[in-house]
Amino acid sequence: MALDTDRVVTWVGRPGEDERLHPEIILGFHGLFLVKPVNDKDWCLGSLNDDGSVDCRSAYCDLYEALRGL
């Protein structure tokens, strides 16, 4: 399922190092979400929060690897 990209997406790093991502595409797969940031070749794997935002914790170099990571 494709989600609306008008939501907060955050790369969750070490404490104090979180980074806001600007999603070009968000795809949902049974509670997990793949995010393709604008102007970035990587895909990030994350989860949806109760407020509709997405927190990403893993990154993959292409869509094939990201799908395998699900």
Short mmCIF file of all heavy atoms in Angstrom, two decimals:
data_model
loop_
_atom_site.label_atom_id
_atom_site.label_comp_id
_atom_site.label_asym_id
_atom_site.label_seq_id
_atom_site.Cartn_x
_atom_site.Cartn_y
_atom_site.Cartn_z
N MET A 1 0.84 -1.16 0.00
CA MET A 1 0.00 0.00 0.00
C MET A 1 0.90 1.24 0.00
O MET A 1 1.87 1.31 0.75
CB MET A 1 -0.90 -0.07 1.23
CG MET A 1 -1.26 1.25 1.82
SD MET A 1 -2.35 1.22 3.23
CE MET A 1 -1.36 0.45 4.47
N ALA A 2 0.59 2.19 -0.83
CA ALA A 2 1.33 3.46 -0.86
C ALA A 2 0.69 4.43 0.13
O ALA A 2 -0.53 4.52 0.22
CB ALA A 2 1.30 4.04 -2.25
N LEU A 3 1.52 5.13 0.88
CA LEU A 3 1.04 6.12 1.84
C LEU A 3 1.29 7.53 1.32
O LEU A 3 2.21 7.74 0.52
CB LEU A 3 1.77 5.97 3.18
CG LEU A 3 1.18 5.01 4.19
CD1 LEU A 3 1.42 3.59 3.76
CD2 LEU A 3 1.76 5.27 5.55
N ASP A 4 0.52 8.46 1.82
CA ASP A 4 0.71 9.87 1.51
C ASP A 4 2.07 10.31 2.05
O ASP A 4 2.43 10.00 3.18
CB ASP A 4 -0.41 10.67 2.17
CG ASP A 4 -0.33 12.15 1.91
OD1 ASP A 4 0.47 12.57 1.06
OD2 ASP A 4 -1.09 12.89 2.55
N THR A 5 2.84 11.02 1.24
CA THR A 5 4.17 11.45 1.66
C THR A 5 4.15 12.72 2.51
O THR A 5 5.20 13.17 2.95
CB THR A 5 5.07 11.67 0.43
OG1 THR A 5 4.47 12.65 -0.42
CG2 THR A 5 5.28 10.38 -0.33
N ASP A 6 2.97 13.25 2.75
CA ASP A 6 2.85 14.46 3.56
C ASP A 6 2.75 14.08 5.04
O ASP A 6 1.72 14.23 5.68
CB ASP A 6 1.63 15.27 3.13
CG ASP A 6 1.56 16.62 3.82
OD1 ASP A 6 2.62 17.14 4.22
OD2 ASP A 6 0.45 17.15 3.96
N ARG A 7 3.84 13.53 5.56
CA ARG A 7 3.92 13.11 6.96
C ARG A 7 5.36 13.24 7.42
O ARG A 7 6.28 13.31 6.61
CB ARG A 7 3.40 11.69 7.16
CG ARG A 7 4.26 10.64 6.50
CD ARG A 7 3.67 9.23 6.61
NE ARG A 7 2.43 9.12 5.90
CZ ARG A 7 1.27 8.75 6.47
NH1 ARG A 7 1.23 8.42 7.73
NH2 ARG A 7 0.17 8.70 5.77
N VAL A 8 5.56 13.24 8.71
CA VAL A 8 6.91 13.33 9.27
C VAL A 8 7.56 11.96 9.18
O VAL A 8 7.00 10.96 9.62
CB VAL A 8 6.88 13.81 10.74
CG1 VAL A 8 8.26 13.74 11.36
CG2 VAL A 8 6.31 15.22 10.82
N VAL A 9 8.77 11.92 8.59
CA VAL A 9 9.57 10.71 8.53
C VAL A 9 10.93 11.04 9.13
O VAL A 9 11.56 12.03 8.74
CB VAL A 9 9.74 10.20 7.08
CG1 VAL A 9 10.64 8.99 7.04
CG2 VAL A 9 8.38 9.90 6.45
N THR A 10 11.38 10.23 10.08
CA THR A 10 12.61 10.50 10.81
C THR A 10 13.55 9.31 10.72
O THR A 10 13.13 8.17 10.92
CB THR A 10 12.30 10.79 12.29
OG1 THR A 10 11.36 11.86 12.37
CG2 THR A 10 13.56 11.17 13.05
N TRP A 11 14.82 9.60 10.40
CA TRP A 11 15.87 8.59 10.52
C TRP A 11 16.30 8.62 11.97
O TRP A 11 16.78 9.64 12.48
CB TRP A 11 17.04 8.91 9.60
CG TRP A 11 18.18 7.97 9.85
CD1 TRP A 11 19.31 8.23 10.57
CD2 TRP A 11 18.27 6.62 9.43
NE1 TRP A 11 20.10 7.10 10.62
CE2 TRP A 11 19.49 6.09 9.92
CE3 TRP A 11 17.45 5.78 8.68
CZ2 TRP A 11 19.88 4.79 9.69
CZ3 TRP A 11 17.85 4.48 8.45
CH2 TRP A 11 19.07 4.00 8.95
N VAL A 12 16.11 7.53 12.70
CA VAL A 12 16.41 7.46 14.12
C VAL A 12 17.85 6.97 14.28
O VAL A 12 18.16 5.81 14.02
CB VAL A 12 15.42 6.53 14.86
CG1 VAL A 12 15.76 6.47 16.33
CG2 VAL A 12 13.99 7.00 14.65
N GLY A 13 18.71 7.90 14.67
CA GLY A 13 20.12 7.57 14.88
C GLY A 13 20.42 7.42 16.35
O GLY A 13 19.53 7.15 17.17
N ARG A 14 21.65 7.64 16.68
CA ARG A 14 22.02 7.64 18.10
C ARG A 14 21.33 8.81 18.79
O ARG A 14 20.90 9.75 18.13
CB ARG A 14 23.53 7.77 18.23
CG ARG A 14 24.23 6.47 17.80
CD ARG A 14 25.70 6.62 17.90
NE ARG A 14 26.10 7.09 16.57
CZ ARG A 14 27.31 7.33 16.18
NH1 ARG A 14 28.31 7.19 17.01
NH2 ARG A 14 27.58 7.72 14.97
N PRO A 15 21.23 8.79 20.11
CA PRO A 15 20.55 9.87 20.82
C PRO A 15 21.06 11.25 20.38
O PRO A 15 22.27 11.48 20.32
CB PRO A 15 20.87 9.60 22.29
CG PRO A 15 21.07 8.12 22.34
CD PRO A 15 21.72 7.76 21.02
N GLY A 16 20.13 12.11 20.01
CA GLY A 16 20.48 13.46 19.58
C GLY A 16 20.90 13.57 18.13
O GLY A 16 21.24 14.65 17.67
N GLU A 17 20.88 12.47 17.39
CA GLU A 17 21.33 12.48 15.99
C GLU A 17 20.21 12.10 15.02
O GLU A 17 20.48 11.67 13.90
CB GLU A 17 22.52 11.55 15.80
CG GLU A 17 23.76 12.01 16.53
CD GLU A 17 24.96 11.14 16.25
OE1 GLU A 17 24.90 10.28 15.36
OE2 GLU A 17 25.97 11.33 16.93
N ASP A 18 18.95 12.24 15.41
CA ASP A 18 17.85 11.95 14.52
C ASP A 18 17.85 12.96 13.36
O ASP A 18 18.25 14.11 13.54
CB ASP A 18 16.52 12.03 15.25
CG ASP A 18 16.38 10.94 16.31
OD1 ASP A 18 17.24 10.05 16.35
OD2 ASP A 18 15.42 11.01 17.09
N GLU A 19 17.39 12.51 12.20
CA GLU A 19 17.39 13.36 11.00
C GLU A 19 16.04 13.26 10.32
O GLU A 19 15.52 12.16 10.09
CB GLU A 19 18.49 12.89 10.05
CG GLU A 19 18.53 13.62 8.75
CD GLU A 19 19.54 13.04 7.78
OE1 GLU A 19 20.35 12.18 8.19
OE2 GLU A 19 19.51 13.44 6.62
N ARG A 20 15.45 14.38 9.99
CA ARG A 20 14.18 14.41 9.26
C ARG A 20 14.43 14.07 7.81
O ARG A 20 15.33 14.62 7.17
CB ARG A 20 13.54 15.79 9.40
CG ARG A 20 12.29 15.95 8.57
CD ARG A 20 11.07 16.03 9.43
NE ARG A 20 9.88 16.06 8.61
CZ ARG A 20 9.05 17.07 8.54
NH1 ARG A 20 9.28 18.16 9.24
NH2 ARG A 20 7.97 16.99 7.79
N LEU A 21 13.66 13.12 7.28
CA LEU A 21 13.74 12.74 5.88
C LEU A 21 12.57 13.34 5.12
O LEU A 21 11.50 13.54 5.69
CB LEU A 21 13.71 11.21 5.74
CG LEU A 21 14.80 10.42 6.46
CD1 LEU A 21 14.56 8.92 6.27
CD2 LEU A 21 16.17 10.82 5.96
N HIS A 22 12.76 13.60 3.85
CA HIS A 22 11.70 14.13 2.99
C HIS A 22 11.34 13.03 2.00
O HIS A 22 12.07 12.79 1.04
CB HIS A 22 12.16 15.40 2.30
CG HIS A 22 12.56 16.46 3.28
ND1 HIS A 22 11.65 17.21 3.97
CD2 HIS A 22 13.78 16.83 3.73
CE1 HIS A 22 12.28 18.03 4.79
NE2 HIS A 22 13.58 17.81 4.67
N PRO A 23 10.22 12.32 2.25
CA PRO A 23 9.90 11.14 1.45
C PRO A 23 9.39 11.47 0.06
O PRO A 23 8.60 12.38 -0.14
CB PRO A 23 8.82 10.44 2.27
CG PRO A 23 8.18 11.53 3.06
CD PRO A 23 9.26 12.53 3.33
N GLU A 24 9.88 10.69 -0.91
CA GLU A 24 9.37 10.73 -2.28
C GLU A 24 8.31 9.64 -2.45
O GLU A 24 7.30 9.84 -3.11
CB GLU A 24 10.53 10.48 -3.24
CG GLU A 24 10.16 10.50 -4.69
CD GLU A 24 11.37 10.30 -5.58
OE1 GLU A 24 12.52 10.50 -5.14
OE2 GLU A 24 11.15 9.94 -6.75
N ILE A 25 8.55 8.49 -1.81
CA ILE A 25 7.65 7.34 -1.86
C ILE A 25 7.63 6.68 -0.49
O ILE A 25 8.68 6.55 0.15
CB ILE A 25 8.14 6.29 -2.89
CG1 ILE A 25 8.24 6.89 -4.28
CG2 ILE A 25 7.23 5.06 -2.90
CD1 ILE A 25 9.00 6.01 -5.27
N ILE A 26 6.44 6.25 -0.04
CA ILE A 26 6.31 5.45 1.17
C ILE A 26 5.44 4.24 0.83
O ILE A 26 4.30 4.40 0.39
CB ILE A 26 5.68 6.23 2.34
CG1 ILE A 26 6.47 7.50 2.66
CG2 ILE A 26 5.56 5.34 3.57
CD1 ILE A 26 5.83 8.38 3.71
N LEU A 27 5.98 3.05 1.03
CA LEU A 27 5.25 1.81 0.76
C LEU A 27 5.07 1.03 2.04
O LEU A 27 6.02 0.84 2.80
CB LEU A 27 6.03 0.95 -0.25
CG LEU A 27 6.35 1.59 -1.59
CD1 LEU A 27 7.24 0.67 -2.41
CD2 LEU A 27 5.07 1.91 -2.34
N GLY A 28 3.84 0.58 2.31
CA GLY A 28 3.54 -0.17 3.52
C GLY A 28 3.42 -1.66 3.26
O GLY A 28 2.84 -2.08 2.26
N PHE A 29 3.98 -2.46 4.17
CA PHE A 29 3.95 -3.92 4.10
C PHE A 29 3.68 -4.50 5.48
O PHE A 29 4.62 -4.72 6.25
CB PHE A 29 5.30 -4.46 3.59
CG PHE A 29 5.67 -4.00 2.21
CD1 PHE A 29 6.40 -2.83 2.04
CD2 PHE A 29 5.29 -4.73 1.11
CE1 PHE A 29 6.75 -2.39 0.77
CE2 PHE A 29 5.63 -4.31 -0.17
CZ PHE A 29 6.36 -3.14 -0.34
N HIS A 30 2.41 -4.72 5.83
CA HIS A 30 2.04 -5.38 7.08
C HIS A 30 2.74 -4.80 8.30
O HIS A 30 3.40 -5.50 9.07
CB HIS A 30 2.32 -6.88 7.00
CG HIS A 30 1.64 -7.54 5.86
ND1 HIS A 30 0.28 -7.76 5.83
CD2 HIS A 30 2.11 -8.02 4.68
CE1 HIS A 30 -0.05 -8.34 4.71
NE2 HIS A 30 1.03 -8.51 3.98
N GLY A 31 2.66 -3.50 8.48
CA GLY A 31 3.23 -2.85 9.66
C GLY A 31 4.64 -2.32 9.49
O GLY A 31 5.12 -1.59 10.34
N LEU A 32 5.32 -2.69 8.40
CA LEU A 32 6.64 -2.14 8.10
C LEU A 32 6.51 -1.23 6.88
O LEU A 32 5.65 -1.44 6.02
CB LEU A 32 7.65 -3.25 7.82
CG LEU A 32 7.98 -4.15 9.00
CD1 LEU A 32 8.90 -5.28 8.55
CD2 LEU A 32 8.62 -3.36 10.12
N PHE A 33 7.39 -0.24 6.79
CA PHE A 33 7.29 0.74 5.72
C PHE A 33 8.64 1.00 5.09
O PHE A 33 9.64 1.15 5.79
CB PHE A 33 6.70 2.05 6.27
CG PHE A 33 5.28 1.86 6.73
CD1 PHE A 33 5.01 1.37 7.99
CD2 PHE A 33 4.24 2.12 5.86
CE1 PHE A 33 3.71 1.14 8.39
CE2 PHE A 33 2.93 1.89 6.26
CZ PHE A 33 2.66 1.41 7.53
N LEU A 34 8.66 1.04 3.77
CA LEU A 34 9.86 1.40 3.02
C LEU A 34 9.69 2.84 2.56
O LEU A 34 8.65 3.20 1.98
CB LEU A 34 10.06 0.48 1.82
CG LEU A 34 10.41 -0.95 2.15
CD1 LEU A 34 10.50 -1.78 0.87
CD2 LEU A 34 11.73 -1.02 2.90
N VAL A 35 10.70 3.64 2.82
CA VAL A 35 10.67 5.06 2.48
C VAL A 35 11.82 5.37 1.53
O VAL A 35 12.97 5.04 1.83
CB VAL A 35 10.81 5.93 3.76
CG1 VAL A 35 10.84 7.41 3.39
CG2 VAL A 35 9.69 5.63 4.73
N LYS A 36 11.51 6.00 0.41
CA LYS A 36 12.52 6.47 -0.55
C LYS A 36 12.60 7.98 -0.38
O LYS A 36 11.68 8.69 -0.76
CB LYS A 36 12.10 6.08 -1.97
CG LYS A 36 12.86 6.77 -3.08
CD LYS A 36 14.24 6.20 -3.22
CE LYS A 36 14.95 6.74 -4.45
NZ LYS A 36 15.23 8.15 -4.43
N PRO A 37 13.66 8.47 0.25
CA PRO A 37 13.80 9.92 0.42
C PRO A 37 14.06 10.62 -0.93
O PRO A 37 14.63 10.04 -1.84
CB PRO A 37 15.01 10.07 1.34
CG PRO A 37 15.16 8.75 2.00
CD PRO A 37 14.69 7.75 0.99
N VAL A 38 13.65 11.86 -1.02
CA VAL A 38 13.90 12.69 -2.19
C VAL A 38 15.41 12.85 -2.37
O VAL A 38 16.14 13.03 -1.40
CB VAL A 38 13.24 14.08 -2.02
CG1 VAL A 38 13.62 15.03 -3.13
CG2 VAL A 38 11.73 13.94 -1.93
N ASN A 39 15.87 12.76 -3.61
CA ASN A 39 17.29 12.95 -3.96
C ASN A 39 18.23 12.00 -3.22
O ASN A 39 19.33 12.37 -2.85
CB ASN A 39 17.73 14.39 -3.72
CG ASN A 39 16.96 15.37 -4.56
OD1 ASN A 39 16.64 15.09 -5.71
ND2 ASN A 39 16.64 16.51 -4.00
N ASP A 40 17.78 10.76 -2.99
CA ASP A 40 18.60 9.77 -2.32
C ASP A 40 18.34 8.43 -2.99
O ASP A 40 17.20 8.10 -3.30
CB ASP A 40 18.24 9.70 -0.84
CG ASP A 40 19.26 8.96 0.00
OD1 ASP A 40 20.00 8.12 -0.55
OD2 ASP A 40 19.30 9.20 1.21
N LYS A 41 19.39 7.64 -3.20
CA LYS A 41 19.21 6.33 -3.85
C LYS A 41 18.82 5.25 -2.85
O LYS A 41 18.33 4.19 -3.22
CB LYS A 41 20.47 5.92 -4.59
CG LYS A 41 21.67 5.70 -3.69
CD LYS A 41 22.89 5.26 -4.47
CE LYS A 41 24.08 5.07 -3.57
NZ LYS A 41 24.01 3.92 -2.73
N ASP A 42 19.05 5.48 -1.56
CA ASP A 42 18.76 4.48 -0.54
C ASP A 42 17.26 4.39 -0.23
O ASP A 42 16.51 5.34 -0.47
CB ASP A 42 19.49 4.82 0.76
CG ASP A 42 20.99 4.66 0.65
OD1 ASP A 42 21.45 3.94 -0.26
OD2 ASP A 42 21.70 5.26 1.47
N TRP A 43 16.87 3.24 0.28
CA TRP A 43 15.53 3.01 0.81
C TRP A 43 15.68 2.75 2.30
O TRP A 43 16.57 2.03 2.73
CB TRP A 43 14.89 1.80 0.15
CG TRP A 43 14.43 2.06 -1.25
CD1 TRP A 43 15.22 2.07 -2.36
CD2 TRP A 43 13.11 2.35 -1.67
NE1 TRP A 43 14.45 2.35 -3.46
CE2 TRP A 43 13.15 2.52 -3.07
CE3 TRP A 43 11.89 2.47 -1.01
CZ2 TRP A 43 12.01 2.81 -3.81
CZ3 TRP A 43 10.77 2.76 -1.75
CH2 TRP A 43 10.82 2.93 -3.13
N CYS A 44 14.80 3.33 3.10
CA CYS A 44 14.85 3.18 4.55
C CYS A 44 13.67 2.34 5.02
O CYS A 44 12.57 2.46 4.50
CB CYS A 44 14.80 4.55 5.23
SG CYS A 44 16.13 5.64 4.72
N LEU A 45 13.91 1.50 6.01
CA LEU A 45 12.88 0.63 6.58
C LEU A 45 12.47 1.19 7.93
O LEU A 45 13.33 1.52 8.76
CB LEU A 45 13.44 -0.78 6.73
CG LEU A 45 12.52 -1.82 7.35
CD1 LEU A 45 11.29 -2.05 6.48
CD2 LEU A 45 13.26 -3.13 7.56
N GLY A 46 11.17 1.30 8.13
CA GLY A 46 10.71 1.85 9.39
C GLY A 46 9.34 1.35 9.79
O GLY A 46 8.77 0.45 9.18
N SER A 47 8.82 1.96 10.85
CA SER A 47 7.50 1.59 11.37
C SER A 47 6.67 2.85 11.58
O SER A 47 7.19 3.93 11.80
CB SER A 47 7.65 0.81 12.68
OG SER A 47 8.38 1.57 13.61
N LEU A 48 5.36 2.65 11.52
CA LEU A 48 4.40 3.74 11.65
C LEU A 48 4.10 3.98 13.13
O LEU A 48 3.87 3.03 13.88
CB LEU A 48 3.12 3.38 10.90
CG LEU A 48 2.08 4.46 10.69
CD1 LEU A 48 2.61 5.55 9.77
CD2 LEU A 48 0.81 3.87 10.12
N ASN A 49 4.10 5.24 13.53
CA ASN A 49 3.75 5.61 14.90
C ASN A 49 2.26 5.93 14.98
O ASN A 49 1.60 6.14 13.96
CB ASN A 49 4.57 6.83 15.33
CG ASN A 49 6.05 6.53 15.36
OD1 ASN A 49 6.48 5.51 15.87
ND2 ASN A 49 6.84 7.41 14.77
N ASP A 50 1.73 5.99 16.18
CA ASP A 50 0.31 6.28 16.40
C ASP A 50 -0.12 7.61 15.80
O ASP A 50 -1.27 7.76 15.39
CB ASP A 50 -0.04 6.26 17.89
CG ASP A 50 0.04 4.86 18.49
OD1 ASP A 50 -0.03 3.88 17.72
OD2 ASP A 50 0.19 4.76 19.72
N ASP A 51 0.80 8.57 15.72
CA ASP A 51 0.45 9.90 15.18
C ASP A 51 0.58 9.97 13.65
O ASP A 51 0.39 11.03 13.07
CB ASP A 51 1.31 10.99 15.83
CG ASP A 51 2.80 10.85 15.52
OD1 ASP A 51 3.20 9.91 14.80
OD2 ASP A 51 3.56 11.70 16.02
N GLY A 52 0.91 8.85 12.99
CA GLY A 52 1.03 8.82 11.54
C GLY A 52 2.43 9.07 11.02
O GLY A 52 2.67 8.96 9.82
N SER A 53 3.35 9.40 11.89
CA SER A 53 4.74 9.61 11.47
C SER A 53 5.43 8.24 11.31
O SER A 53 4.93 7.22 11.76
CB SER A 53 5.49 10.47 12.48
OG SER A 53 5.58 9.80 13.73
N VAL A 54 6.58 8.25 10.64
CA VAL A 54 7.34 7.02 10.42
C VAL A 54 8.74 7.20 10.98
O VAL A 54 9.39 8.22 10.73
CB VAL A 54 7.43 6.68 8.91
CG1 VAL A 54 8.28 5.45 8.67
CG2 VAL A 54 6.04 6.49 8.31
N ASP A 55 9.20 6.22 11.76
CA ASP A 55 10.57 6.20 12.27
C ASP A 55 11.33 5.11 11.52
O ASP A 55 10.90 3.95 11.51
CB ASP A 55 10.60 5.89 13.77
CG ASP A 55 10.16 7.05 14.61
OD1 ASP A 55 10.13 8.18 14.11
OD2 ASP A 55 9.85 6.83 15.80
N CYS A 56 12.44 5.47 10.90
CA CYS A 56 13.27 4.53 10.14
C CYS A 56 14.54 4.21 10.91
O CYS A 56 15.16 5.10 11.49
CB CYS A 56 13.63 5.12 8.78
SG CYS A 56 12.21 5.39 7.71
N ARG A 57 14.94 2.94 10.86
CA ARG A 57 16.13 2.51 11.59
C ARG A 57 17.10 1.71 10.75
O ARG A 57 18.19 1.41 11.20
CB ARG A 57 15.70 1.70 12.81
CG ARG A 57 15.03 2.55 13.87
CD ARG A 57 14.67 1.74 15.09
NE ARG A 57 14.28 2.59 16.20
CZ ARG A 57 13.08 3.14 16.34
NH1 ARG A 57 12.17 2.94 15.44
NH2 ARG A 57 12.81 3.89 17.39
N SER A 58 16.71 1.32 9.53
CA SER A 58 17.59 0.55 8.64
C SER A 58 17.57 1.18 7.26
O SER A 58 16.57 1.77 6.86
CB SER A 58 17.10 -0.89 8.51
OG SER A 58 17.06 -1.53 9.75
N ALA A 59 18.69 1.04 6.54
CA ALA A 59 18.76 1.58 5.17
C ALA A 59 19.33 0.51 4.24
O ALA A 59 20.17 -0.31 4.65
CB ALA A 59 19.64 2.82 5.14
N TYR A 60 18.86 0.54 3.01
CA TYR A 60 19.29 -0.40 1.98
C TYR A 60 19.66 0.37 0.73
O TYR A 60 19.06 1.41 0.43
CB TYR A 60 18.16 -1.39 1.68
CG TYR A 60 17.79 -2.22 2.88
CD1 TYR A 60 16.80 -1.78 3.76
CD2 TYR A 60 18.44 -3.41 3.15
CE1 TYR A 60 16.47 -2.53 4.89
CE2 TYR A 60 18.11 -4.16 4.28
CZ TYR A 60 17.13 -3.71 5.14
OH TYR A 60 16.81 -4.45 6.25
N CYS A 61 20.61 -0.16 -0.04
CA CYS A 61 21.15 0.56 -1.19
C CYS A 61 20.22 0.56 -2.40
O CYS A 61 20.37 1.38 -3.29
CB CYS A 61 22.52 0.03 -1.58
SG CYS A 61 22.52 -1.71 -2.04
N ASP A 62 19.24 -0.35 -2.43
CA ASP A 62 18.29 -0.35 -3.55
C ASP A 62 17.00 -1.03 -3.11
O ASP A 62 16.92 -1.63 -2.04
CB ASP A 62 18.87 -1.00 -4.80
CG ASP A 62 19.32 -2.43 -4.60
OD1 ASP A 62 18.68 -3.18 -3.84
OD2 ASP A 62 20.32 -2.82 -5.23
N LEU A 63 15.98 -0.94 -3.96
CA LEU A 63 14.67 -1.48 -3.61
C LEU A 63 14.71 -3.00 -3.45
O LEU A 63 14.08 -3.55 -2.55
CB LEU A 63 13.63 -1.09 -4.66
CG LEU A 63 12.21 -1.57 -4.42
CD1 LEU A 63 11.68 -1.09 -3.08
CD2 LEU A 63 11.29 -1.12 -5.55
N TYR A 64 15.47 -3.69 -4.28
CA TYR A 64 15.58 -5.15 -4.17
C TYR A 64 16.07 -5.55 -2.78
O TYR A 64 15.47 -6.42 -2.13
CB TYR A 64 16.54 -5.66 -5.25
CG TYR A 64 16.82 -7.14 -5.13
CD1 TYR A 64 15.87 -8.08 -5.58
CD2 TYR A 64 18.01 -7.60 -4.58
CE1 TYR A 64 16.13 -9.45 -5.45
CE2 TYR A 64 18.26 -8.96 -4.47
CZ TYR A 64 17.33 -9.87 -4.90
OH TYR A 64 17.58 -11.21 -4.79
N GLU A 65 17.14 -4.95 -2.31
CA GLU A 65 17.66 -5.27 -0.98
C GLU A 65 16.68 -4.87 0.12
O GLU A 65 16.54 -5.57 1.13
CB GLU A 65 19.02 -4.61 -0.75
CG GLU A 65 20.13 -5.18 -1.60
CD GLU A 65 20.42 -6.64 -1.28
OE1 GLU A 65 20.33 -7.06 -0.11
OE2 GLU A 65 20.71 -7.39 -2.24
N ALA A 66 16.00 -3.75 -0.06
CA ALA A 66 15.02 -3.31 0.93
C ALA A 66 13.87 -4.30 1.04
O ALA A 66 13.43 -4.63 2.15
CB ALA A 66 14.50 -1.92 0.56
N LEU A 67 13.39 -4.80 -0.09
CA LEU A 67 12.32 -5.79 -0.07
C LEU A 67 12.78 -7.08 0.59
O LEU A 67 12.02 -7.71 1.33
CB LEU A 67 11.81 -6.06 -1.48
CG LEU A 67 11.04 -4.92 -2.12
CD1 LEU A 67 10.81 -5.19 -3.60
CD2 LEU A 67 9.71 -4.68 -1.40
N ARG A 68 14.01 -7.47 0.37
CA ARG A 68 14.56 -8.66 1.03
C ARG A 68 14.65 -8.44 2.54
O ARG A 68 14.54 -9.37 3.32
CB ARG A 68 15.93 -9.00 0.46
CG ARG A 68 15.84 -9.56 -0.94
CD ARG A 68 17.15 -10.06 -1.43
NE ARG A 68 17.58 -11.16 -0.58
CZ ARG A 68 18.83 -11.59 -0.47
NH1 ARG A 68 19.78 -11.01 -1.16
NH2 ARG A 68 19.14 -12.57 0.32
N GLY A 69 14.87 -7.18 2.96
CA GLY A 69 14.98 -6.86 4.37
C GLY A 69 13.67 -6.90 5.13
O GLY A 69 13.66 -6.87 6.36
N LEU A 70 12.57 -6.94 4.40
CA LEU A 70 11.27 -7.01 5.07
C LEU A 70 11.14 -8.34 5.77
O LEU A 70 10.50 -8.54 6.71
CB LEU A 70 10.12 -6.86 4.06
CG LEU A 70 9.97 -5.48 3.46
CD1 LEU A 70 8.96 -5.52 2.34
CD2 LEU A 70 9.54 -4.47 4.52
#
